[in-house]
Amino acid sequence: MDKLHNLGVAELAALLKNKKVSAVEVATRFLARLGGNPHNAFLDINSEVTLEQARASDAKLAAGTAGPLEGVPIAHKDVFVTKDLATTAGSRMLRGYRSPFDATVVARLRQAGMVTLGKLNCDEFAMGSANENSAYGAVSNPWNTAHVPGGSSGGSAAAVAARLTPAATGTDTGGSIRQPAAFCGITGIKPTYGRASRYGMVAYASSLDQAGPMARSAEDCALLL
């Protein structure tokens, strides 16, 4: 078996479904890779929350009630509000803010069985194209740390490219999924406006903002839509 962190969404989903690996084992492997926060890609990580979700996924896999992506890890751009993790949108104005509810995108991916690894760095309020405008420091491109990863979903693109997560969410107003995906050599999709709910997404320009998936392949992105 290849190293778990080198596997994509579809590959991990198949292994988990066939009980070749447990959700806790997968989550533990990815959490271990987050030590030291490579490339400054993450803004909030809570291993207890992640492992609790992974244990719940293992119980569903054992009971035969698993969702289609049960146990597969994902991380969310820090403009999607979350109950169990802080949401800052890359701004000190929201430092420590904890939402009373999950954004619809977060909730639906969790319903599909995905396990949350943490929240990802981004340009402040998603306004930028280099991920150098986060109040919590710039994100570096994992292929060349002297280069930018693109933005505003630079943390998402860098995390996927560095194999810190098999998939991530991003948002795109004028290119903020597509551009960092290109800079980091991964796949990102901006769906048709309205395809994914904006409920619980910190707005930059509401009439244009669109949530979308980021992963290593178009196949993996399609599984998240």
Side-chain angles (χ1 to χ4, degrees), residues 160 168 177-178 181-182 184-189 213-219 221-222:
V160 172
I177 288 174
R178 295 161 291 171
C184 292
I186 65 165
T187 300
I189 295 176
M214 304 178 77
R216 288 167 52 193
S217 70
E219 176 191 11
C221 281

Side-chain angles (χ1 to χ4, degrees), residues 31 34 44-52 84-85 98 116-119:
L31 286 170
L34 303 185
D44 196 15
I45 300 165
N46 188 321
S47 59
E48 292 182 6
V49 168
T50 299
L51 292 173
E52 181 182 357
D84 297 323
L85 295 161
R98 190 70 62 86
T116 302
L117 288 172
K119 303 294 287 295

Side-chain angles (χ1 to χ4, degrees), residues 162-224:
R163 309 300 190 255
L164 305 179
T165 179
T169 54
T171 59
D172 192 312
T173 301
S176 288
I177 288 174
R178 295 161 291 171
Q179 185 235 42
F183 279 27
C184 292
I186 65 165
T187 300
I189 295 176
K190 179 185 182 181
T192 301
Y193 185 81
R195 173 66 177 81
S197 172
R198 289 190 300 103
Y199 187 73
M201 191 169 83
V202 178
Y204 168 32
S206 295
S207 60
L208 295 171
D209 294 343
Q210 183 58 58
M214 304 178 77
R216 288 167 52 193
S217 70
E219 176 191 11
D220 283 352
C221 281
L223 292 172
L224 306 181

Side-chain angles (χ1 to χ4, degrees), residues 41-150:
F42 280 78
L43 292 181
D44 196 15
I45 300 165
N46 188 321
S47 59
E48 292 182 6
V49 168
T50 299
L51 292 173
E52 181 182 357
Q53 291 185 5
R55 287 190 288 269
S57 287
D58 278 333
K60 291 179 181 179
L61 287 160
T65 58
L69 297 174
E70 200 70 59
V72 178
I74 191 168
H76 297 291
K77 183 177 180 178
D78 199 30
V79 297
F80 293 97
V81 301
T82 44
K83 291 187 296 185
D84 297 323
L85 295 161
T87 301
T88 70
S91 175
R92 287 193 178 91
M93 292 171 64
L94 295 177
R95 183 191 291 273
Y97 171 68
R98 190 70 62 86
S99 169
F101 65 94
D102 286 328
T104 298
V105 164
V106 173
R108 289 188 175 177
L109 288 169
R110 182 66 195 124
Q111 287 167 11
M114 300 197 84
V115 171
T116 302
L117 288 172
K119 303 294 287 295
L120 294 160
N121 204 347
C122 58
D123 283 306
E124 188 167 5
F125 292 108
M127 188 173 183
S129 59
N131 219 144
E132 295 178 300
N133 298 318
S134 169
Y136 303 98
V139 177
S140 59
N141 191 311
W143 299 110
N144 185 333
T145 56
H147 291 184
V148 300

